[in-house]
Amino acid sequence: MSKADTGTVHETVEVERKYDVDESVSLPPLQDLPGVQSVDQPVEHQLEATYFDTEDLTLAAHRVTLRRRTGGDDEGWHLKLPAGDDARRELHEPLGKDHEKVPLPLLRLVRSQVRDRPLAAIAHLKTRRVVHSLQGADGVLAEVADDQVEATALPREGRSEGSTMRWREWEIELADGRRDLLDAAEEVFRATGAEPSAHASKLARALGQQLPPAEPGPPRPLRKGTAADVVLAYLQAQVTALKEQDPLVRQDAPDAVHQMRVATRRLRSSLATHRRLFDVDRTTALREELRLLGGLLGEARDAEVMHERLRTMVGEEPPDLVLGPVAQRLDVDLGTTYKSAHGKVLRALEQKRYFRLLDSLDEFLADPPLAEEAQGPAAKVIPKSVRRDLKRVRRAVKEAKRARGTEAADPALHEARKTAKRLRYACETAAPVFGKRALKLEKNAHGIQQVLGDHQDSFVARQLLRKAGVEAFGQHENGFSYGRLHALEEARAARSAKKFWRRWKDFPAKSW
Protein backbone atom coordinates (compact mmCIF):
# COMPACT_ATOMS: atom_id res chain seq x y z
CA MET A 1 0.00 0.00 0.00
CA SER A 2 1.58 3.26 -1.14
CA LYS A 3 0.74 6.61 0.41
CA ALA A 4 0.71 10.21 -0.72
CA ASP A 5 -0.63 13.56 0.44
CA THR A 6 -2.53 15.51 -2.23
CA GLY A 7 -3.43 18.89 -0.78
CA THR A 8 -5.53 18.24 2.32
CA VAL A 9 -6.48 14.77 1.09
CA HIS A 10 -4.49 11.79 2.34
CA GLU A 11 -4.26 9.12 -0.37
CA THR A 12 -3.33 5.45 -0.37
CA VAL A 13 -3.41 2.75 -3.02
CA GLU A 14 -5.27 -0.19 -1.56
CA VAL A 15 -4.43 -3.67 -2.89
CA GLU A 16 -6.71 -6.32 -1.44
CA ARG A 17 -8.85 -9.40 -2.04
CA LYS A 18 -12.13 -10.37 -0.37
CA TYR A 19 -13.59 -13.81 0.32
CA ASP A 20 -17.04 -15.03 1.25
CA VAL A 21 -16.86 -17.47 4.14
CA ASP A 22 -19.31 -19.50 6.22
CA GLU A 23 -19.96 -18.51 9.83
CA SER A 24 -18.66 -21.80 11.19
CA VAL A 25 -15.24 -21.70 9.47
CA SER A 26 -12.16 -20.83 11.54
CA LEU A 27 -9.47 -18.55 10.15
CA PRO A 28 -6.58 -20.81 9.05
CA PRO A 29 -3.00 -20.44 10.38
CA LEU A 30 -1.31 -17.47 8.74
CA GLN A 31 2.26 -17.76 9.99
CA ASP A 32 3.21 -20.23 7.23
CA LEU A 33 2.49 -17.78 4.41
CA PRO A 34 5.66 -16.80 2.45
CA GLY A 35 7.71 -14.08 4.12
CA VAL A 36 5.62 -14.04 7.29
CA GLN A 37 7.75 -14.28 10.44
CA SER A 38 5.00 -13.71 13.00
CA VAL A 39 1.34 -12.80 13.37
CA ASP A 40 0.36 -10.10 15.86
CA GLN A 41 -2.34 -10.64 18.44
CA PRO A 42 -5.72 -9.90 16.86
CA VAL A 43 -7.24 -6.45 17.38
CA GLU A 44 -11.01 -5.96 17.34
CA HIS A 45 -12.80 -2.87 15.97
CA GLN A 46 -16.46 -1.87 15.88
CA LEU A 47 -17.03 0.05 12.64
CA GLU A 48 -20.05 1.98 11.39
CA ALA A 49 -20.20 3.37 7.88
CA THR A 50 -22.76 5.43 5.96
CA TYR A 51 -22.45 5.41 2.18
CA PHE A 52 -23.41 8.36 -0.05
CA ASP A 53 -24.45 8.58 -3.70
CA THR A 54 -26.84 10.34 -6.07
CA GLU A 55 -30.48 9.31 -6.35
CA ASP A 56 -29.69 7.18 -9.42
CA LEU A 57 -26.51 5.69 -7.88
CA THR A 58 -24.09 7.32 -10.32
CA LEU A 59 -21.04 6.57 -8.17
CA ALA A 60 -22.02 2.93 -7.79
CA ALA A 61 -22.36 2.65 -11.58
CA HIS A 62 -18.72 3.81 -11.85
CA ARG A 63 -17.70 1.38 -9.05
CA VAL A 64 -16.83 4.32 -6.80
CA THR A 65 -17.68 4.35 -3.08
CA LEU A 66 -17.96 7.37 -0.80
CA ARG A 67 -18.50 6.76 2.90
CA ARG A 68 -18.32 8.29 6.36
CA ARG A 69 -16.95 5.81 8.88
CA THR A 70 -16.54 5.86 12.65
CA GLY A 71 -14.39 3.46 14.63
CA GLY A 72 -11.06 1.86 13.72
CA ASP A 73 -7.70 3.43 12.97
CA ASP A 74 -8.88 5.41 9.90
CA GLU A 75 -12.07 7.03 11.13
CA GLY A 76 -13.30 9.70 8.73
CA TRP A 77 -14.48 10.13 5.15
CA HIS A 78 -13.22 7.67 2.53
CA LEU A 79 -13.45 7.89 -1.26
CA LYS A 80 -12.47 4.72 -3.15
CA LEU A 81 -11.74 4.79 -6.89
CA PRO A 82 -10.94 1.81 -9.18
CA ALA A 83 -7.21 1.43 -9.90
CA GLY A 84 -6.83 -1.88 -11.74
CA ASP A 85 -6.85 -5.53 -10.63
CA ASP A 86 -7.20 -5.96 -6.85
CA ALA A 87 -6.42 -2.25 -6.41
CA ARG A 88 -8.28 0.91 -5.51
CA ARG A 89 -7.19 4.46 -4.76
CA GLU A 90 -8.45 5.42 -1.32
CA LEU A 91 -8.60 9.08 -0.35
CA HIS A 92 -9.21 10.06 3.26
CA GLU A 93 -10.48 13.21 4.97
CA PRO A 94 -11.11 13.70 8.71
CA LEU A 95 -14.71 13.81 9.95
CA GLY A 96 -14.78 17.55 10.64
CA LYS A 97 -17.51 19.40 12.52
CA ASP A 98 -20.39 18.66 10.13
CA HIS A 99 -20.60 14.87 9.95
CA GLU A 100 -23.38 15.00 7.37
CA LYS A 101 -21.58 17.15 4.82
CA VAL A 102 -19.26 15.52 2.27
CA PRO A 103 -15.84 17.25 2.46
CA LEU A 104 -15.32 19.54 -0.52
CA PRO A 105 -11.86 18.08 -1.42
CA LEU A 106 -13.47 14.65 -1.89
CA LEU A 107 -16.60 15.99 -3.57
CA ARG A 108 -14.49 17.75 -6.20
CA LEU A 109 -12.86 14.44 -7.14
CA VAL A 110 -16.22 12.96 -8.22
CA ARG A 111 -17.63 16.10 -9.85
CA SER A 112 -17.19 14.68 -13.36
CA GLN A 113 -19.58 11.90 -12.33
CA VAL A 114 -22.10 13.51 -9.96
CA ARG A 115 -21.77 17.10 -11.28
CA ASP A 116 -24.15 19.35 -9.33
CA ARG A 117 -26.60 16.66 -8.26
CA PRO A 118 -27.07 16.25 -4.50
CA LEU A 119 -25.56 13.35 -2.57
CA ALA A 120 -27.55 11.50 0.08
CA ALA A 121 -27.10 8.48 2.35
CA ILE A 122 -27.95 5.23 0.53
CA ALA A 123 -26.74 2.49 2.90
CA HIS A 124 -25.59 1.92 6.46
CA LEU A 125 -23.16 -0.82 7.51
CA LYS A 126 -22.04 -2.08 10.90
CA THR A 127 -18.95 -4.27 10.96
CA ARG A 128 -17.28 -6.23 13.74
CA ARG A 129 -13.71 -6.47 12.45
CA VAL A 130 -10.89 -8.60 13.86
CA VAL A 131 -7.52 -7.65 12.35
CA HIS A 132 -4.45 -9.91 12.18
CA SER A 133 -1.20 -8.15 11.16
CA LEU A 134 1.32 -10.31 9.26
CA GLN A 135 4.85 -9.26 10.21
CA GLY A 136 7.83 -9.71 7.91
CA ALA A 137 11.51 -9.00 8.43
CA ASP A 138 11.09 -5.25 7.86
CA GLY A 139 7.54 -4.55 9.02
CA VAL A 140 3.92 -5.39 8.27
CA LEU A 141 3.45 -7.34 5.04
CA ALA A 142 -0.33 -7.42 5.09
CA GLU A 143 -3.40 -7.32 7.29
CA VAL A 144 -6.07 -10.01 7.35
CA ALA A 145 -9.50 -8.86 8.52
CA ASP A 146 -12.26 -11.21 9.67
CA ASP A 147 -15.47 -9.17 9.21
CA GLN A 148 -18.99 -9.77 10.50
CA VAL A 149 -21.18 -7.36 8.53
CA GLU A 150 -24.72 -6.07 8.99
CA ALA A 151 -25.92 -3.89 6.11
CA THR A 152 -29.12 -1.94 5.44
CA ALA A 153 -29.99 -0.22 2.16
CA LEU A 154 -31.64 3.11 3.03
CA PRO A 155 -34.87 4.32 1.38
CA ARG A 156 -34.62 6.53 -1.70
CA GLU A 157 -37.27 8.26 -3.75
CA GLY A 158 -39.66 5.68 -5.18
CA ARG A 159 -38.01 2.83 -3.24
CA SER A 160 -38.83 1.42 0.16
CA GLU A 161 -36.17 0.55 2.70
CA GLY A 162 -34.34 -2.66 1.90
CA SER A 163 -34.11 -5.55 4.28
CA THR A 164 -31.11 -5.93 6.57
CA MET A 165 -28.46 -8.37 5.36
CA ARG A 166 -25.77 -10.14 7.36
CA TRP A 167 -22.68 -11.96 6.15
CA ARG A 168 -19.11 -12.81 6.97
CA GLU A 169 -16.07 -12.12 4.82
CA TRP A 170 -12.29 -12.29 4.99
CA GLU A 171 -10.15 -9.55 3.53
CA ILE A 172 -6.40 -9.49 3.00
CA GLU A 173 -4.84 -6.10 2.23
CA LEU A 174 -1.19 -5.63 1.30
CA ALA A 175 0.99 -3.25 3.29
CA ASP A 176 4.67 -3.78 2.38
CA GLY A 177 4.17 -7.30 1.03
CA ARG A 178 4.27 -8.43 -2.60
CA ARG A 179 1.32 -9.59 -4.68
CA ASP A 180 2.44 -13.22 -4.54
CA LEU A 181 1.43 -13.12 -0.86
CA LEU A 182 -2.15 -12.59 -2.03
CA ASP A 183 -1.93 -15.70 -4.23
CA ALA A 184 -0.55 -17.78 -1.38
CA ALA A 185 -3.24 -16.54 1.00
CA GLU A 186 -5.95 -17.33 -1.53
CA GLU A 187 -4.78 -20.92 -1.78
CA VAL A 188 -4.93 -21.25 2.02
CA PHE A 189 -8.33 -19.54 2.29
CA ARG A 190 -9.92 -21.63 -0.45
CA ALA A 191 -8.75 -24.80 1.25
CA THR A 192 -11.12 -23.90 4.12
CA GLY A 193 -14.07 -23.49 1.76
CA ALA A 194 -13.85 -19.71 1.40
CA GLU A 195 -14.54 -18.37 -2.11
CA PRO A 196 -13.51 -15.09 -3.76
CA SER A 197 -16.25 -12.55 -3.12
CA ALA A 198 -18.87 -12.25 -5.80
CA HIS A 199 -19.10 -8.51 -5.03
CA ALA A 200 -16.52 -5.79 -5.60
CA SER A 201 -17.34 -4.10 -2.31
CA LYS A 202 -19.52 -4.35 0.79
CA LEU A 203 -21.71 -1.61 -0.66
CA ALA A 204 -22.28 -3.59 -3.86
CA ARG A 205 -23.47 -6.54 -1.78
CA ALA A 206 -25.71 -4.33 0.36
CA LEU A 207 -27.38 -2.78 -2.69
CA GLY A 208 -27.94 -6.15 -4.34
CA GLN A 209 -30.23 -5.81 -7.36
CA GLN A 210 -30.36 -2.03 -6.89
CA LEU A 211 -26.73 -1.85 -8.01
CA PRO A 212 -26.74 -0.33 -11.51
CA PRO A 213 -24.73 -2.03 -14.27
CA ALA A 214 -21.17 -0.84 -14.67
CA GLU A 215 -20.57 1.99 -17.12
CA PRO A 216 -19.68 0.38 -20.48
CA GLY A 217 -16.27 1.01 -21.96
CA PRO A 218 -15.81 2.58 -25.38
CA PRO A 219 -17.26 0.37 -28.16
CA ARG A 220 -14.81 -1.31 -30.48
CA PRO A 221 -15.27 -0.10 -34.05
CA LEU A 222 -15.40 -2.77 -36.73
CA ARG A 223 -13.84 -2.56 -40.18
CA LYS A 224 -17.18 -3.34 -41.79
CA GLY A 225 -19.22 -1.11 -39.49
CA THR A 226 -20.92 2.17 -40.27
CA ALA A 227 -19.21 5.54 -40.22
CA ALA A 228 -21.22 6.39 -37.09
CA ASP A 229 -19.85 3.30 -35.29
CA VAL A 230 -16.26 4.35 -35.95
CA VAL A 231 -16.62 8.03 -35.07
CA LEU A 232 -18.75 7.44 -31.98
CA ALA A 233 -16.21 4.94 -30.63
CA TYR A 234 -13.50 7.60 -30.96
CA LEU A 235 -15.68 10.25 -29.33
CA GLN A 236 -16.54 7.89 -26.47
CA ALA A 237 -12.85 7.25 -25.79
CA GLN A 238 -12.15 11.00 -25.62
CA VAL A 239 -15.11 11.71 -23.31
CA THR A 240 -13.84 8.95 -21.03
CA ALA A 241 -10.34 10.47 -21.08
CA LEU A 242 -11.72 13.93 -20.29
CA LYS A 243 -13.61 12.61 -17.26
CA GLU A 244 -10.60 10.62 -16.06
CA GLN A 245 -8.40 13.71 -16.14
CA ASP A 246 -10.94 15.92 -14.35
CA PRO A 247 -10.02 14.84 -10.78
CA LEU A 248 -6.31 14.84 -11.64
CA VAL A 249 -6.51 18.43 -12.90
CA ARG A 250 -8.24 19.39 -9.66
CA GLN A 251 -5.33 17.81 -7.75
CA ASP A 252 -2.80 19.52 -10.07
CA ALA A 253 -1.28 16.15 -10.93
CA PRO A 254 1.66 16.12 -13.39
CA ASP A 255 0.60 16.34 -17.05
CA ALA A 256 -3.12 16.30 -16.15
CA VAL A 257 -3.88 19.73 -17.65
CA HIS A 258 -2.14 18.67 -20.86
CA GLN A 259 -4.03 15.39 -21.13
CA MET A 260 -7.42 16.99 -20.43
CA ARG A 261 -6.67 19.64 -23.02
CA VAL A 262 -5.76 16.96 -25.58
CA ALA A 263 -9.02 15.08 -24.94
CA THR A 264 -10.95 18.34 -25.34
CA ARG A 265 -9.13 19.15 -28.59
CA ARG A 266 -9.68 15.67 -30.01
CA LEU A 267 -13.39 15.90 -29.28
CA ARG A 268 -13.74 19.32 -30.85
CA SER A 269 -11.62 18.38 -33.85
CA SER A 270 -13.47 15.13 -34.50
CA LEU A 271 -16.86 16.84 -34.29
CA ALA A 272 -15.60 19.33 -36.89
CA THR A 273 -14.04 16.75 -39.21
CA HIS A 274 -17.11 14.52 -39.16
CA ARG A 275 -19.73 17.26 -38.85
CA ARG A 276 -21.65 15.92 -41.87
CA LEU A 277 -22.50 12.76 -39.91
CA PHE A 278 -24.47 14.60 -37.22
CA ASP A 279 -27.03 17.33 -36.66
CA VAL A 280 -25.11 20.55 -37.27
CA ASP A 281 -26.78 22.55 -34.49
CA ARG A 282 -25.85 19.97 -31.84
CA THR A 283 -22.24 19.67 -32.97
CA THR A 284 -21.81 23.45 -33.31
CA ALA A 285 -22.98 24.00 -29.74
CA LEU A 286 -20.70 21.26 -28.39
CA ARG A 287 -17.70 22.54 -30.34
CA GLU A 288 -18.17 26.04 -28.93
CA GLU A 289 -18.32 24.80 -25.33
CA LEU A 290 -15.28 22.59 -25.91
CA ARG A 291 -13.46 25.57 -27.43
CA LEU A 292 -14.04 27.64 -24.30
CA LEU A 293 -12.92 24.81 -21.98
CA GLY A 294 -9.90 24.10 -24.17
CA GLY A 295 -8.95 27.77 -24.10
CA LEU A 296 -8.82 27.83 -20.31
CA LEU A 297 -6.81 24.61 -20.21
CA GLY A 298 -4.54 26.03 -22.91
CA GLU A 299 -3.63 29.06 -20.80
CA ALA A 300 -2.45 26.83 -17.99
CA ARG A 301 -0.70 24.38 -20.31
CA ASP A 302 1.10 27.13 -22.22
CA ALA A 303 2.43 28.57 -18.96
CA GLU A 304 3.68 25.08 -18.01
CA VAL A 305 5.41 24.61 -21.36
CA MET A 306 7.01 28.04 -21.34
CA HIS A 307 8.22 27.65 -17.77
CA GLU A 308 9.96 24.37 -18.54
CA ARG A 309 11.34 25.63 -21.88
CA LEU A 310 12.87 28.82 -20.50
CA ARG A 311 14.09 27.18 -17.30
CA THR A 312 15.96 24.64 -19.43
CA MET A 313 17.44 27.37 -21.66
CA VAL A 314 18.70 29.37 -18.69
CA GLY A 315 20.15 26.22 -17.13
CA GLU A 316 22.09 25.46 -20.30
CA GLU A 317 23.64 28.93 -20.52
CA PRO A 318 27.26 29.50 -19.38
CA PRO A 319 27.07 31.06 -15.88
CA ASP A 320 29.03 34.13 -16.96
CA LEU A 321 26.36 34.93 -19.56
CA VAL A 322 23.47 34.89 -17.09
CA LEU A 323 23.51 38.41 -15.69
CA GLY A 324 21.09 39.14 -12.88
CA PRO A 325 18.28 37.05 -11.34
CA VAL A 326 17.08 35.73 -14.70
CA ALA A 327 15.99 32.28 -13.55
CA GLN A 328 14.28 33.66 -10.45
CA ARG A 329 12.35 36.28 -12.42
CA LEU A 330 11.13 33.73 -14.98
CA ASP A 331 10.22 31.26 -12.21
CA VAL A 332 8.16 33.87 -10.38
CA ASP A 333 6.50 35.30 -13.49
CA LEU A 334 5.61 32.00 -15.15
CA GLY A 335 4.82 30.28 -11.85
CA THR A 336 2.36 33.07 -11.05
CA THR A 337 0.89 32.87 -14.56
CA TYR A 338 0.35 29.11 -14.22
CA LYS A 339 -1.18 29.43 -10.76
CA SER A 340 -3.60 32.07 -12.00
CA ALA A 341 -4.51 30.08 -15.13
CA HIS A 342 -4.95 26.85 -13.17
CA GLY A 343 -7.18 28.72 -10.73
CA LYS A 344 -9.39 29.79 -13.66
CA VAL A 345 -9.64 26.15 -14.73
CA LEU A 346 -10.64 25.03 -11.23
CA ARG A 347 -13.35 27.69 -11.04
CA ALA A 348 -14.68 26.66 -14.45
CA LEU A 349 -14.82 23.01 -13.39
CA GLU A 350 -17.18 23.99 -10.55
CA GLN A 351 -19.62 25.88 -12.75
CA LYS A 352 -22.97 24.67 -14.07
CA ARG A 353 -21.81 25.41 -17.60
CA TYR A 354 -19.15 22.69 -17.33
CA PHE A 355 -21.59 20.23 -15.79
CA ARG A 356 -24.07 20.85 -18.62
CA LEU A 357 -21.27 20.25 -21.14
CA LEU A 358 -20.63 16.84 -19.59
CA ASP A 359 -24.38 16.15 -19.63
CA SER A 360 -24.54 17.14 -23.30
CA LEU A 361 -21.62 14.87 -24.20
CA ASP A 362 -23.27 11.95 -22.42
CA GLU A 363 -26.58 12.63 -24.15
CA PHE A 364 -24.85 12.96 -27.53
CA LEU A 365 -23.25 9.53 -27.14
CA ALA A 366 -26.35 7.87 -25.69
CA ASP A 367 -28.65 9.16 -28.45
CA PRO A 368 -26.47 10.52 -31.27
CA PRO A 369 -28.22 12.93 -33.69
CA LEU A 370 -27.17 11.03 -36.81
CA ALA A 371 -27.47 12.36 -40.33
CA GLU A 372 -28.19 10.03 -43.22
CA GLU A 373 -24.53 9.83 -44.26
CA ALA A 374 -23.59 8.40 -40.84
CA GLN A 375 -25.31 5.13 -41.69
CA GLY A 376 -23.07 4.56 -44.70
CA PRO A 377 -20.16 2.09 -44.59
CA ALA A 378 -17.13 3.48 -42.78
CA ALA A 379 -14.80 2.35 -45.59
CA LYS A 380 -16.55 4.76 -47.98
CA VAL A 381 -17.59 7.64 -45.72
CA ILE A 382 -14.56 8.14 -43.44
CA PRO A 383 -12.04 8.73 -46.31
CA LYS A 384 -14.12 11.72 -47.44
CA SER A 385 -13.58 13.40 -44.09
CA VAL A 386 -9.86 12.61 -44.12
CA ARG A 387 -9.53 13.99 -47.67
CA ARG A 388 -11.17 17.25 -46.64
CA ASP A 389 -8.73 17.66 -43.74
CA LEU A 390 -5.81 16.76 -45.99
CA LYS A 391 -6.85 19.52 -48.40
CA ARG A 392 -7.04 21.95 -45.48
CA VAL A 393 -3.41 21.18 -44.63
CA ARG A 394 -2.28 21.74 -48.21
CA ARG A 395 -4.14 25.04 -48.46
CA ALA A 396 -2.62 26.22 -45.17
CA VAL A 397 0.89 25.28 -46.31
CA LYS A 398 0.37 27.16 -49.58
CA GLU A 399 -0.57 30.25 -47.57
CA ALA A 400 2.51 29.78 -45.38
CA LYS A 401 4.68 29.54 -48.50
CA ARG A 402 3.27 32.83 -49.80
CA ALA A 403 3.93 34.45 -46.41
CA ARG A 404 7.61 33.44 -46.17
CA GLY A 405 9.81 36.39 -45.34
CA THR A 406 6.91 38.57 -44.17
CA GLU A 407 5.36 39.41 -40.80
CA ALA A 408 2.58 36.94 -41.61
CA ALA A 409 5.00 33.99 -41.73
CA ASP A 410 4.72 32.96 -38.05
CA PRO A 411 0.89 33.10 -37.90
CA ALA A 412 0.68 31.22 -41.21
CA LEU A 413 2.90 28.40 -39.95
CA HIS A 414 0.82 28.28 -36.77
CA GLU A 415 -2.32 27.84 -38.87
CA ALA A 416 -0.61 25.04 -40.82
CA ARG A 417 0.20 23.38 -37.51
CA LYS A 418 -3.45 23.47 -36.43
CA THR A 419 -4.61 21.89 -39.68
CA ALA A 420 -1.95 19.16 -39.35
CA LYS A 421 -3.19 18.40 -35.84
CA ARG A 422 -6.77 18.10 -37.08
CA LEU A 423 -5.61 15.74 -39.85
CA ARG A 424 -3.74 13.69 -37.28
CA TYR A 425 -6.88 13.24 -35.19
CA ALA A 426 -8.88 12.34 -38.31
CA CYS A 427 -6.35 9.60 -39.05
CA GLU A 428 -6.58 8.32 -35.48
CA THR A 429 -10.33 7.93 -35.98
CA ALA A 430 -9.80 6.16 -39.31
CA ALA A 431 -7.11 3.77 -38.02
CA PRO A 432 -9.50 0.94 -36.96
CA VAL A 433 -10.79 0.80 -40.55
CA PHE A 434 -7.70 1.58 -42.62
CA GLY A 435 -4.91 0.30 -40.37
CA LYS A 436 -1.36 1.03 -41.52
CA ARG A 437 -2.51 3.35 -44.26
CA ALA A 438 -4.15 5.70 -41.77
CA LEU A 439 -1.34 5.33 -39.24
CA LYS A 440 1.29 6.29 -41.83
CA LEU A 441 -0.53 9.52 -42.66
CA GLU A 442 -1.10 10.14 -38.93
CA LYS A 443 2.62 9.77 -38.31
CA ASN A 444 3.44 12.29 -41.04
CA ALA A 445 0.86 14.77 -39.74
CA HIS A 446 2.14 14.33 -36.19
CA GLY A 447 5.71 14.99 -37.34
CA ILE A 448 4.68 18.27 -38.95
CA GLN A 449 2.65 19.21 -35.89
CA GLN A 450 5.66 18.67 -33.62
CA VAL A 451 8.07 20.69 -35.75
CA LEU A 452 5.64 23.57 -36.12
CA GLY A 453 4.75 23.25 -32.45
CA ASP A 454 8.36 23.98 -31.55
CA HIS A 455 8.24 26.92 -33.97
CA GLN A 456 5.12 28.32 -32.28
CA ASP A 457 6.56 27.78 -28.79
CA SER A 458 9.61 29.78 -29.90
CA PHE A 459 7.34 32.58 -31.10
CA VAL A 460 5.55 32.70 -27.73
CA ALA A 461 8.84 32.45 -25.80
CA ARG A 462 10.21 35.49 -27.65
CA GLN A 463 7.20 37.56 -26.59
CA LEU A 464 7.71 36.51 -22.97
CA LEU A 465 11.45 37.20 -23.05
CA ARG A 466 10.90 40.67 -24.52
CA LYS A 467 8.36 41.45 -21.80
CA ALA A 468 10.65 40.06 -19.06
CA GLY A 469 13.59 42.06 -20.41
CA VAL A 470 11.61 45.30 -20.33
CA GLU A 471 10.44 44.62 -16.78
CA ALA A 472 13.98 43.75 -15.66
CA PHE A 473 15.27 47.02 -17.14
CA GLY A 474 12.56 48.87 -15.24
CA GLN A 475 13.91 47.28 -12.04
CA HIS A 476 17.45 48.44 -12.90
CA GLU A 477 18.55 44.88 -13.76
CA ASN A 478 20.79 43.91 -16.65
CA GLY A 479 18.72 42.96 -19.73
CA PHE A 480 21.60 41.30 -21.60
CA SER A 481 20.56 37.69 -20.88
CA TYR A 482 16.98 38.21 -22.03
CA GLY A 483 18.21 39.60 -25.32
CA ARG A 484 20.60 36.69 -25.73
CA LEU A 485 17.84 34.14 -25.01
CA HIS A 486 15.60 35.98 -27.48
CA ALA A 487 18.29 35.65 -30.16
CA LEU A 488 18.70 31.95 -29.40
CA GLU A 489 14.94 31.51 -29.82
CA GLU A 490 15.04 33.35 -33.16
CA ALA A 491 17.69 30.93 -34.37
CA ARG A 492 15.69 27.99 -33.05
CA ALA A 493 12.57 29.18 -34.88
CA ALA A 494 14.54 29.52 -38.11
CA ARG A 495 15.79 25.94 -37.74
CA SER A 496 12.26 24.69 -37.07
CA ALA A 497 10.92 26.46 -40.16
CA LYS A 498 13.71 25.03 -42.30
CA LYS A 499 13.08 21.56 -40.90
CA PHE A 500 9.37 21.89 -41.67
CA TRP A 501 9.93 22.77 -45.32
CA ARG A 502 12.30 19.81 -45.71
CA ARG A 503 9.69 17.50 -44.17
CA TRP A 504 6.94 18.94 -46.31
CA LYS A 505 8.76 17.79 -49.45
CA ASP A 506 8.37 14.21 -48.21
CA PHE A 507 4.77 14.61 -47.09
CA PRO A 508 2.50 12.03 -48.82
CA ALA A 509 1.34 13.56 -52.09
CA LYS A 510 -1.16 10.85 -52.97
CA SER A 511 -4.70 11.79 -51.97
CA TRP A 512 -7.05 9.52 -50.09
Side-chain angles (χ1 to χ4, degrees), residues 216-454:
R220 184 176 181 181
L222 302 175
R223 286 178 178 269
K224 295 184 179 180
T226 66
D229 293 336
V230 173
V231 176
L232 288 170
Y234 186 80
L235 293 173
Q236 174 74 69
Q238 304 317 313
V239 171
T240 299
L242 188 153
K243 293 177 183 176
E244 288 175 346
Q245 294 303 318
D246 175 296
L248 299 177
V249 168
R250 295 171 189 271
Q251 292 177 297
D252 204 11
D255 205 40
V257 168
H258 173 53
Q259 293 302 327
M260 190 174 187
R261 183 193 192 189
V262 168
T264 303
R265 280 179 161 178
R266 281 183 164 128
L267 281 168
R268 183 174 170 231
S269 179
S270 188
L271 288 171
T273 294
H274 305 288
R275 61 191 178 279
R276 301 187 186 199
L277 305 187
F278 306 104
D279 175 77
V280 65
D281 292 335
R282 292 277 296 277
T283 55
T284 299
L286 279 175
R287 286 166 58 194
E288 175 59 17
E289 292 301 307
L290 289 165
R291 182 188 70 80
L292 294 172
L293 176 60
L296 290 173
L297 292 164
E299 287 183 34
R301 176 57 182 166
D302 290 346
E304 265 187 326
V305 170
M306 286 299 107
H307 197 175
E308 182 60 32
R309 184 185 185 98
L310 296 179
R311 177 192 288 159
T312 300
M313 287 185 71
V314 174
E316 291 174 347
E317 284 288 273
D320 60 322
L321 295 181
V322 179
L323 306 183
V326 178
Q328 296 91 321
R329 174 173 290 280
L330 292 173
D331 279 343
V332 170
D333 288 353
L334 290 171
T336 301
T337 300
Y338 174 77
K339 187 175 180 180
S340 174
H342 188 255
K344 289 181 184 178
V345 171
L346 295 183
R347 288 190 291 275
L349 297 187
E350 288 294 316
Q351 293 175 0
K352 289 183 180 293
R353 187 168 193 167
Y354 172 64
F355 301 145
R356 299 296 78 81
L357 169 60
L358 295 180
D359 289 344
S360 297
L361 289 170
D362 287 344
E363 291 162 6
F364 188 94
L365 293 172
D367 186 18
L370 300 179
E372 183 178 352
E373 189 173 353
Q375 304 298 343
K380 290 186 177 181
V381 175
I382 297 295
K384 296 178 184 177
S385 298
V386 177
R387 279 198 295 271
R388 285 192 290 268
D389 282 352
L390 187 54
K391 288 178 182 178
R392 286 169 59 90
V393 175
R394 289 178 177 148
R395 285 198 301 268
V397 172
K398 283 183 180 178
E399 289 298 318
K401 189 174 290 187
R402 293 192 190 101
R404 291 176 80 170
T406 73
E407 289 184 359
D410 287 337
L413 286 175
H414 182 46
E415 186 61 31
R417 172 180 176 255
K418 290 193 289 185
T419 62
K421 184 186 300 181
R422 179 162 156 174
L423 174 61
R424 172 193 169 197
Y425 296 154
C427 292
E428 287 178 351
T429 307
V433 180
F434 294 97
K436 292 181 179 179
R437 185 180 173 194
L439 291 174
K440 182 178 179 180
L441 185 55
E442 186 272 336
K443 183 178 180 181
N444 279 277
H446 192 193
I448 285 178
Q449 176 196 331
Q450 286 183 311
V451 172
L452 292 181
D454 184 63

